[in-house]
Amino acid sequence: ISLWQEARINPSLKRFRSDAFLQFVKFNKVARLLAKKLTVLYNLRRMASTSLRHLAPAILKIIEESPIDVADALKMDPVYGPSIPVTEEDKESAFLLLLEQVERERTYGQAMTEIDLWIESLASANFLPFGTDILSLQDTLFDAKFRVLADVDYLDIAMMKRNEEEHPSEDRIAIIKKSLESLLELEGEVSQMLAEAIVNRNNAKFEMDQNLDEENFMAAQSPEANVSQTPAWSTERLVAFRTELHHLNKRYRRAKGKFDIAVVSAILLEDVVGTFQALLPWQAMRHTLWDAFLEKEEEDAWRGVESPVKKNFQGRWARRLEVLWFLNNMFVIRVVKVVSSLLCGFLSVCMLWSELSVAPWIRDYFSEPQQGSLLLHQVCWASKLPPSCRSSDSTPTAEDPFSIEPAVQVIIICHLLYFLRICHFSLTRLRLWKLYEVIPGETDSHSLLVNAFLACRIVPSITQNYLNMLREAHEEREVGGEATVFEKTFSAMGRVPFVGSSFDEILPPIMLGFFILNLFFIISRQVFGKRFE
């Protein structure tokens, strides 16, 4: 079912978008929880030099293990600019901004400037026109050598003369707007609102300089401001806080990893579909892709899929590789997934029935040597004289000895690859609270060890189960027969009391219940998902 859904473009695009939105909600929730914990750590850092001086070494140890430097937390106000956060709400907002800044620096490999943070605060406060390309505006200011707020403040003539009363606000806005249009080539409403923001910021700065009360300011910044509201801290409570911060940081990294994967998948599929629609109709698409593959130099030559999350090919065969990549992701993969989903559905039915046929009260209804096992039917169909498929009166001869035919090997390999694919699908999507979760790029060491442990435990069980469906899993060897170590180990499971059958015969049919339960969850999710949409 998953392969069939991934093979269809529109359902896949809708699912990627909804998954990206869902992962954003989860990531935002975890980020706020982490910001609250970092706020507590920020308060502890301030109190480490006064009331909690006896716990200062433990506090400094926690600060060293913090995912970010709590001393860098600053509140970016669209009017007043960067300032030290005072209230708990301001501190949480500052740490949310700092977390976003750190993630962007990891993504783009470049530190954000003070101007970048100020532009984002303007956009968040709706001080810029709706729909403004924030990234382009930040790049434009960066290319014009604007790094700190003082660079834009001195575009205001009142700031240069330190007097706002001599120049009306309308004249100052007009001068700043003219400077922005000449320096940055900004036009229209963007330059107007940006000039107004600069004037408002300078006016607030003049007013703050006139009304500055140093005693009140220092009292607000006193490290004892929140001591009365903070419960008593001890070594045990610090250890518990350190553990909570560690686990919350792991949750944050996992949520960020899943959010990044969902966003990249959605953006990449949107860009591929957009490129496909731009190349239509089919005749024009065939002509365009063929010319690009032959590397014909034309003015409107196709350069590949343009996507911010895709790395373009470089080198001599770049355009040909772009064509092959587009055809593979748009057509070939989807056809392969459709065929694979049909084949997996067929093998699922065969495997489920073969599992049921293991039970003695089911296989006794079949008189043929295969005893109802569809997997064994497939193996026997490709073999000349398999031991489990020959009649009781047939005996091997020197001209026709027992041998494994290549066709039998191919079928067995297909069966085993299908089983391994099921295990891989399950292990990568399994989640056991905080113990186990596999996320590409963000899987912790404990989850990797659990994954290896489960894989080592599953492989022998799959082998025994497959041999059981082929009627080759012997509980007891015939007299004179030599049992392998594998058979001795699994035959030690014994028989179920009051039933008379072994565990190898009782447990496989239970898969029918899990299959029905899983099918019910899938159908209900599809039904309720459509209603929700």
Side-chain angles (χ1 to χ4, degrees):
I1 294 178
S2 177
L3 288 174
W4 179 263
Q5 291 177 343
E6 292 176 2
R8 302 164 61 196
I9 295 179
N10 291 332
S12 297
L13 187 58
K14 185 183 298 184
R15 182 166 58 88
F16 284 157
R17 288 172 177 171
S18 61
D19 187 39
F21 176 75
L22 179 62
Q23 296 301 332
F24 170 74
V25 173
K26 294 181 179 179
F27 168 68
N28 193 29
K29 180 180 178 181
V30 177
R32 292 186 178 277
L33 293 176
L34 182 59
K36 291 182 179 180
K37 288 294 180 183
L38 293 175
T39 299
V40 177
L41 184 59
Y42 180 82
N43 295 332
L44 288 175
R45 177 181 176 273
R46 296 175 59 191
M47 292 185 295
S49 59
T50 55
S51 60
L52 297 181
R53 185 175 297 178
H54 60 289
L55 297 176
I59 295 176
L60 293 178
K61 184 65 175 178
I62 300 176
I63 293 175
E64 292 177 0
E65 298 176 354
S66 174
I68 58 177
D69 189 359
V70 294
D72 295 337
L74 292 175
K75 175 189 175 182
M76 179 58 69
D77 189 89
V79 176
Y80 298 100
S83 59
I84 299 175
V86 178
T87 64
E88 296 299 311
E89 183 179 357
D90 291 343
K91 293 174 185 178
E92 292 180 12
S93 301
F95 281 113
L96 284 175
L97 179 63
L98 186 57
L99 288 172
E100 182 181 358
Q101 181 181 352
V102 170
E103 295 300 335
R104 288 201 176 187
E105 291 177 0
R106 291 178 179 175
T107 302
Y108 299 105
Q110 183 177 358
M112 296 183 67
T113 63
E114 195 176 59
I115 291 292
D116 295 336
L117 299 176
W118 182 61
I119 293 296
E120 288 192 354
S121 66
L122 291 177
S124 301
N126 297 324
F127 287 175
L128 290 177
F130 179 77
T132 303
D133 191 350
I134 303 300
L135 294 178
S136 298
L137 181 58
Q138 291 173 338
D139 292 339
T140 303
L141 291 170
F142 185 83
D143 295 337
K145 309 301 181 182
F146 288 97
R147 301 291 191 272
V148 295
L149 287 176
D151 296 335
V152 295
D153 287 343
Y154 281 91
L155 293 176
D156 187 2
I157 188 173
M159 189 65 183
M160 291 185 289
K161 296 184 178 182
R162 305 295 298 180
N163 189 355
E164 62 173 330
E165 297 180 356
E166 297 181 359
H167 305 278
S169 298
E170 293 77 7
D171 296 341
R172 295 161 57 194
I173 292 174
I175 295 174
I176 296 174
K177 181 180 178 181
K178 185 177 180 179
S179 301
L180 292 175
E181 292 175 353
S182 60
L183 293 174
L184 308 178
E185 298 181 357
L186 295 178
E187 298 179 357
E189 194 176 0
V190 176
S191 59
Q192 176 70 24
M193 297 189 71
L194 190 58
E196 293 177 359
I198 295 174
V199 171
N200 292 335
R201 167 175 160 72
N202 289 334
N203 291 339
K205 189 174 182 180
F206 291 143
E207 182 179 358
M208 184 175 63
D209 291 341
Q210 294 175 359
N211 301 327
L212 181 62
D213 189 347
E214 184 176 356
E215 294 182 359
N216 293 337
F217 177 78
M218 295 304 295
Q221 300 299 323
S222 174
E224 303 294 335
N226 297 319
V227 173
S228 59
Q229 304 176 2
T230 306
W233 285 90
S234 61
T235 304
E236 293 76 11
R237 188 163 180 234
L238 279 179
V239 172
F241 173 77
R242 179 181 178 183
T243 304
E244 293 175 1
L245 183 62
H246 175 73
H247 289 300
L248 193 56
N249 184 36
K250 290 172 60 177
R251 277 185 62 189
Y252 174 79
R253 298 308 315 167
R254 290 176 179 178
K256 182 63 170 62
K258 291 191 284 189
F259 172 63
D260 290 342
I261 293 173
V263 170
V264 169
S265 301
I267 293 176
L268 187 59
L269 185 57
E270 285 181 352
D271 293 335
V272 171
V273 174
T275 304
F276 168 74
Q277 294 176 351
L279 292 174
L280 290 175
W282 290 96
Q283 189 70 20
M285 180 189 300
R286 186 169 64 90
H287 177 73
T288 302
L289 294 179
W290 181 250
D291 290 344
F293 187 79
L294 296 179
E295 299 182 349
K296 292 184 178 181
E297 295 296 336
E298 299 177 357
E299 294 182 358
D300 56 344
W302 189 71
R303 301 296 180 183
V305 177
E306 296 182 358
S307 176
V309 298
K310 172 183 172 295
K311 293 184 179 180
N312 295 327
F313 292 99
Q314 303 293 334
R316 179 180 177 184
W317 310 101
R319 293 179 61 185
R320 294 186 178 181
L321 292 175
E322 288 286 352
V323 173
L324 294 177
W325 185 91
F326 172 73
L327 294 176
N328 179 64
N329 284 270
M330 191 65 201
F331 302 105
V332 177
I333 286 182
R334 312 210 172 273
V335 175
V336 171
K337 287 183 177 180
V338 169
V339 176
S340 300
S341 63
L342 296 176
L343 182 60
C344 288
F346 171 74
L347 289 176
S348 297
V349 174
C350 295
M351 186 195 71
L352 183 62
W353 181 255
S354 300
E355 293 280 7
L356 293 175
S357 66
V358 172
W361 54 86
I362 295 179
R363 71 186 180 196
D364 292 341
Y365 285 99
F366 300 94
S367 58
E368 68 272 11
Q370 291 82 11
Q371 296 178 331
S373 176
L374 296 180
L375 296 184
L376 185 55
H377 270 287
Q378 297 172 10
V379 175
C380 293
W381 171 75
S383 61
K384 286 185 177 180
L385 194 61
S388 297
C389 303
R390 61 184 176 88
S391 58
S392 58
D393 57 349
S394 62
T395 56
T397 61
E399 292 78 12
D400 189 17
F402 291 133
S403 62
I404 300 178
E405 300 293 333
V408 177
Q409 298 180 21
V410 171
I411 291 179
I412 292 177
I413 289 175
C414 290
H415 290 168
L416 295 179
L417 288 177
Y418 171 70
F419 294 148
L420 293 177
R421 172 57 184 166
I422 292 177
C423 294
H424 176 267
F425 183 87
S426 302
L427 289 177
T428 53
R429 285 162 176 78
L430 179 63
R431 181 180 179 183
L432 299 176
W433 300 282
K434 298 179 181 180
L435 300 178
Y436 176 79
E437 187 176 10
V438 176
I439 301 173
E442 296 296 341
T443 306
D444 57 359
S445 58
H446 188 272
S447 296
L448 291 176
L449 290 175
V450 174
N451 183 274
F453 171 78
L454 293 177
C456 293
R457 289 298 185 108
I458 286 175
V459 170
S461 302
I462 290 177
T463 306
Q464 171 70 7
N465 189 33
Y466 182 63
L467 292 176
N468 198 15
M469 288 186 287
L470 296 185
R471 307 297 185 262
E472 291 293 334
H474 305 286
E475 289 290 334
E476 297 178 358
R477 279 289 184 176
E478 299 177 356
V479 179
E482 183 178 355
T484 62
V485 176
F486 183 82
E487 290 174 337
K488 291 179 180 179
T489 302
F490 277 86
S491 63
M493 296 177 68
R495 296 184 175 273
V496 181
F498 309 107
V499 177
S501 300
S502 64
F503 281 95
D504 292 339
E505 297 172 339
I506 297 299
L507 294 180
I510 299 179
M511 288 187 61
L512 178 62
F514 290 100
F515 172 79
I516 297 175
L517 188 62
N518 191 25
L519 184 63
F520 171 76
F521 285 149
I522 293 175
I523 295 176
S524 62
R525 184 176 59 186
Q526 293 292 329
V527 172
F528 290 113
K530 292 181 179 179
R531 289 181 180 178
F532 177 75
E533 293 171 357

